[in-house]
Amino acid sequence: MPVEGFKVDVSKAVGHKFAPERVSSNRRDHILYALGVGVSEDELKFLYELNPQFSVLPTYPLVLALKGDSSDVNVFKDRGASGGPLPGMPPYDPNKIVHGEQTLDVINPWPINGGSFIAEKTCTGVFDKGSGMVIETTVDLYGEQDKKHYCSLVSKSFVRGYGGWNGPKGPKAVSYVPPKRNPDAVDVFATTTKQALLYRLSGDYNPLHADVDLAPKIGFPKPILHGLSTYGGCAHGIIKALANNDATRFKSIEARFASPVFPGETIETYMWKVDTKDPKTQGVIFVAKVKERDVVVVNNGYAVLYKDSPSSKL
Ligand SMILES: CCCCCCC[C@@H](O)CC(=O)SCCNC(=O)CCNC(=O)[C@H](O)C(C)(C)COP(=O)(O)OP(=O)(O)OC[C@H]1O[C@@H](n2cnc3c(N)ncnc32)[C@H](O)[C@@H]1OP(=O)(O)O
């Protein structure tokens, strides 16, 4: 049932550019993030700053759209699905937001020591999906000092129950279908029951991931894991299995969140190597499942890796 009286003025919302926002990260943030996406103690290169190969996971910047510049917790409902008040958007319940889809294009490798960056954020779509509304935001991150364009990310938030207002349906999702053969690799991310409580410290303080009293009121039996924890786990698994664990070989990733994951479940990422148009890169179609329930939790997954480390040519 559509929410009575709810209607978005798409012409005001789409194309809206938010005020550029200063965001920042440091080595401690990168390490905390790595723990939040399941990196274990046998990979100290992502966890210990004195390791000679100390690296940052290339999906780290995804957290900055919600973390901002703060090192303290902030209140999720102040930021909402689009990261700020959006013209033409009537009020809606932020507890109805789930992460729908996410892309990341790495343009320059994220600095190992982090730094200060400027996030330029634009609302690039608002869609009426019948059972809900999709708000799409595109964020470009630039170095505050060096002005380098580091990455571009597109987030789709799915706001459950806020569809049916005769809005645009939006483009059909790109569908990446795994080849009909055994996967080339499988990664296992055994999340712990504390996984969401750990991941949230990277900057997404959405109560949906922590509040045991709230979850049943909004349709979940208990708090669910952040989509970006699963997503980072998939990306890390792909780098480990198919890029010799070399983060600099990671070029891009996109995927859809198909079903929620509960902390404590085991996420299996199935990967298939596929050709791309560029002989220097390797495509990877991937799907993630929760082992205990045999449920697909991530689909339409597609990543691109460099076949050789870009830094080896310097
Ligand atoms: C700036 C950053 C902002 C990010 C904010 C995020 C904050 C975080 O704290 C929140 C989280 O991390 S939540 C955890 C991760 N996400 C999830 O667990 C969601 C899992 N997916 C679902 O529950 C359903 O697929 C569900 C509910 C999404 C859809 O299920 P249904 O309502 O049954 O929809 P369905 O009938 O299958 O399809 C209807 C139309 O919607 C499109 N669609 C389906 N799943 C989608 C998805 N995941 N993302 C985007 N669109 C989606 C379908 O394609 C269909 O549209 P069309 O007919 O045009 O194809």
Side-chain angles (χ1 to χ4, degrees), residues 242-244 246 248-251 273-284 304-313:
L242 301 178
N244 200 25
D246 179 352
T248 65
R249 286 178 53 193
F250 187 86
K251 184 173 189 296
K273 292 200 246 180
V274 291
D275 290 339
T276 67
K277 287 186 188 138
D278 178 356
K280 292 197 205 70
T281 62
Q282 174 70 67
V284 182
V304 179
L305 304 169
Y306 292 107
K307 287 183 180 165
D308 295 309
S309 168
S311 57
S312 67
K313 297 191 196 78

Side-chain angles (χ1 to χ4, degrees), residues 99-100 129 131 157 169 172 204 206 209 227 256-260:
H99 208 151
K129 291 294 186 182
S131 59
S157 300
K169 231 176 145 20
K172 278 268 164 211
D204 179 352
N206 189 345
H209 308 295
R256 168 177 280 198
F257 299 106
S259 192

Side-chain angles (χ1 to χ4, degrees), residues 153-235:
L153 35 126
V154 180
S155 309
K156 285 189 185 167
S157 300
F158 194 104
V159 192
R160 296 173 302 134
Y162 284 84
W165 40 274
N166 292 321
K169 231 176 145 20
K172 278 268 164 211
V174 187
S175 176
Y176 294 105
V177 182
K180 289 197 185 337
R181 56 180 165 83
N182 288 335
D184 293 302
V186 182
D187 180 73
V188 179
F189 172 12
T191 72
T192 72
T193 49
K194 300 187 193 79
Q195 201 71 44
L197 294 174
L198 176 63
Y199 180 84
R200 70 193 294 272
L201 300 178
S202 281
D204 179 352
Y205 303 105
N206 189 345
L208 169 61
H209 308 295
D211 191 328
V212 288
D213 296 323
L214 173 77
K217 291 183 192 139
I218 55 173
F220 298 101
K222 54 186 175 178
I224 65 174
L225 186 60
H226 302 71
L228 287 183
S229 171
T230 303
Y231 196 87
C234 293

Side-chain angles (χ1 to χ4, degrees), residues 6-27:
F6 184 85
K7 188 160 181 61
V8 183
D9 186 338
V10 174
S11 66
K12 285 192 183 146
V14 178
H16 174 74
K17 287 188 187 308
F18 296 89
E21 187 183 10
R22 185 175 184 273
V23 298
S24 61
S25 77
N26 58 30
R27 289 176 297 175

Side-chain angles (χ1 to χ4, degrees), residues 2 9 16 47 57 64 97 109 138 151 153 159 175 177 185 208 213 237 261 271 292:
D9 186 338
H16 174 74
L47 299 177
L57 284 169
L64 292 174
I97 300 167
T138 299
C151 57
L153 35 126
V159 192
S175 176
V177 182
L208 169 61
D213 296 323
V261 174
M271 311 162 212
E292 291 81 358

Side-chain angles (χ1 to χ4, degrees), residues 28 34 41 58 61 155-156 177 238 267 281 294 296:
R28 184 181 175 281
E41 63 283 1
S155 309
K156 285 189 185 167
V177 182
I238 291 167
I267 302 166
T281 62
D294 193 29
V296 172

Side-chain angles (χ1 to χ4, degrees), residues 73-92:
V73 294
N74 58 36
V75 181
F76 180 77
K77 63 173 174 287
D78 287 345
R79 298 178 66 85
S82 51
L86 190 56
M89 178 64 66
Y92 60 87

